[in-house]
């Protein structure tokens, strides 16, 4: 394990969660089927959430216009008080034939833009009790997360970064907060950080990662002793220790450690980033002086 002692605080798993933790750790570190994942560089695009959603429409069937209007009306007026009464209306209009459409609607039109209602929407999904819908929600969320992680717009546009942060919370509430992993074959978190470090994308990736990992706060499984979580924290500890990192990026990392009730100094850092070249062209992640130093010592990125 990469964890150092934390001045007497207990960062170990509770006894009754240790067996589950071991099972989840094996799953969460499972390699991608068919070899390594394509790199971030291979997927860089200029998509927005809206343009990606338009392309994604071809993958599912849409309900009749009257049904769509009814779902919009119900969702616009949904609350904790009327949730039970509205479940029947939603089920009748979208399940089972239009579950994929509804999952896309929830992710793009609701979860990405209405972070304050995430818990309400997930309560609704739980009451609908449809396993396929839950699976589609995670898959659809991951699709749009990857689009935004790999989009040039996300580095340049604060609104796109806000959408990505919201999807980080939404994904975390469906996975880590429910003791379910984000599988490496779906999203390799360490690799995303490494490539963002190299290509000047930490400004977009770190806030997303912060929101995602904050959903581990109440978990018994996804603690610093979990191999997947420990690996990510060790990488973030190294990143935090590097000179010249902009304060907003450093603050995101500190909030991640705060969610686990530890600090970056409590975790043994990796030694992966220091030897890697990083982009020097309009890199928003580092102070100007550090980029100037890099120009004398780092090889250009491929």
């Amino acid at each position: 394990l990469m964890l150092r002692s934390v001045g007497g605080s207990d960062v170990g798993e509770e006894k009754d969660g240790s067996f589950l933790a071991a099972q989840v750790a094996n799953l969460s570190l499972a390699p991608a089927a068919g070899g390594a994942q394509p790199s971030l560089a291979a997927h860089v695009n200029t998509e927005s959430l809206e343009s990606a959603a338009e392309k994604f429409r071809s993958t599912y069937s849409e309900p009749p216009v009257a049904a769509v209007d009814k779902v919009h009306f119900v969702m616009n007026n949904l609350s904790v008080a009327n949730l039970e009464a509205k479940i029947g209306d939603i089920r009748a209009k979208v399940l089972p034939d239009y579950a994929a459409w509804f999952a896309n609607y929830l992710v793009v039109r609701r979860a990405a833009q209405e972070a304050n209602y995430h818990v309400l929407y997930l309560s609704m999904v739980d009451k609908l009790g449809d396993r396929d819908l839950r699976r589609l929600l995670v898959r659809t969320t991951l699709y749009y997360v990857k689009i935004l992680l790999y989009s040039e717009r996300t580095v340049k546009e604060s609104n796109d970064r806000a959408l990505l942060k919201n999807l980080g919370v939404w994904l975390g509430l469906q996975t880590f907060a429910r003791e379910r992993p984000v599988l490496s074959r779906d999203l390799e978190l360490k690799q995303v950080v490494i490539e963002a470090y190299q290509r000047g994308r930490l400004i977009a990736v770190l806030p997303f990662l912060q929101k995602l990992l904050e959903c581990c706060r109440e978990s018994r499984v996804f603690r610093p002793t979990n191999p997947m979580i420990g690996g990510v924290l060790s990488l973030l500890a190294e990143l935090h220790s590097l000179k010249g990192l902009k304060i907003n990026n450093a603050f995101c990392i500190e909030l991640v450690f705060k969610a686990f009730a530890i600090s970056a100094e409590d975790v043994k850092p990796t030694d992966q980033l220091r030897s890697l070249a990083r982009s020097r062209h309009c890199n928003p992640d580092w102070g100007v002086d550090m980029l100037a130093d890099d120009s004398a010592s780092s090889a250009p990125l491929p």
Side-chain angles (χ1 to χ4, degrees):
L1 292 178
M2 304 295 284
L3 192 66
R4 293 174 176 164
S5 81
V6 189
S9 63
D10 179 13
V11 294
E13 298 296 339
E14 295 179 11
K15 185 176 180 180
D16 61 352
S18 59
F19 178 70
L20 179 59
Q23 289 184 310
V24 173
N26 289 335
L27 279 174
S28 62
L29 293 173
Q37 280 193 307
S39 71
L40 177 69
H43 291 286
V44 169
N45 62 79
T46 57
E47 293 279 12
S48 66
L49 189 70
E50 293 294 330
S51 63
E54 188 62 32
K55 293 178 181 179
F56 198 56
R57 289 181 65 181
S58 63
T59 67
Y60 55 79
S61 299
E62 297 189 29
V65 173
V68 172
D69 290 343
K70 178 65 174 180
V71 170
H72 289 174
F73 177 79
V74 171
M75 294 298 296
N76 285 338
N77 294 279
L78 194 66
S79 67
V80 174
N82 66 17
L83 182 58
E84 291 284 356
K86 299 298 183 183
I87 288 298
D89 291 337
I90 296 173
R91 182 183 288 111
K93 298 300 181 183
V94 301
L95 296 178
D97 295 340
Y98 304 111
W101 170 84
F102 189 55
N104 188 74
Y105 169 77
L106 277 178
V107 173
V108 176
R109 300 297 179 188
R110 298 294 173 174
Q113 302 181 47
E114 301 177 350
N116 291 340
Y117 294 97
H118 283 176
V119 173
L120 175 63
Y121 296 150
L122 288 175
S123 295
M124 175 196 65
V125 172
D126 289 341
K127 289 183 182 298
L128 286 170
D130 189 278
R131 183 174 297 180
D132 286 340
L133 177 60
R134 292 194 188 100
R135 177 182 55 81
L136 286 165
L137 271 176
V138 174
R139 189 183 74 180
T140 305
T141 303
L142 283 164
Y143 169 79
Y144 289 109
V145 162
K146 291 175 184 178
I147 289 292
L148 292 175
L149 281 174
Y150 304 159
S151 176
E152 289 297 327
R153 285 176 52 95
T154 315
V155 174
K156 299 173 182 177
E157 301 290 339
S158 60
N159 183 60
D160 289 66
R161 293 196 296 275
L163 296 174
L164 181 58
K165 285 171 63 176
N166 288 346
L167 289 181
V169 180
W170 179 247
L171 179 60
L173 289 175
Q174 294 176 82
T175 55
F176 294 143
R178 299 184 175 211
E179 311 293 18
R180 298 168 185 164
V182 175
L183 299 178
S184 295
R185 65 172 179 245
D186 295 325
L187 190 65
E188 219 310 315
L189 297 178
K190 285 182 65 177
Q191 192 61 29
V192 168
V193 174
I194 289 169
E195 292 176 329
Y197 167 82
Q198 290 186 280
R199 301 185 179 277
R201 304 183 61 81
L202 294 174
I203 189 177
V205 167
L206 288 179
F208 160 77
L209 191 64
Q210 172 210 328
K211 293 298 184 180
L212 175 64
L213 293 180
E214 282 180 339
C215 293
C216 299
R217 184 178 280 112
E218 304 298 327
S219 173
R220 293 181 296 112
V221 173
F222 297 103
R223 308 304 304 159
T225 47
N226 175 283
M228 181 187 70
I229 297 298
V232 175
L233 293 180
S234 294
L235 187 65
L236 292 179
E238 180 187 3
L239 181 57
H240 188 265
S241 71
L242 298 180
K243 294 181 179 179
L245 185 67
K246 289 245 180 116
I247 190 169
N248 56 313
N249 290 328
F251 185 60
C252 280
I253 295 173
E254 290 162 9
L255 289 177
V256 171
F257 284 99
K258 184 178 180 181
F260 294 98
I262 58 176
S263 69
E265 290 72 28
D266 297 320
V267 174
K268 183 178 179 181
T270 57
D271 192 24
Q272 292 182 260
L273 301 176
R274 298 174 193 278
S275 61
L276 298 177
R278 61 190 180 209
S279 173
R280 298 187 299 273
H281 178 65
C282 299
N283 190 326
D285 298 329
W286 303 89
V288 174
D289 292 345
M290 294 307 299
L291 294 177
D293 291 343
D294 282 349
S295 65
S297 58
S298 298
L301 287 172

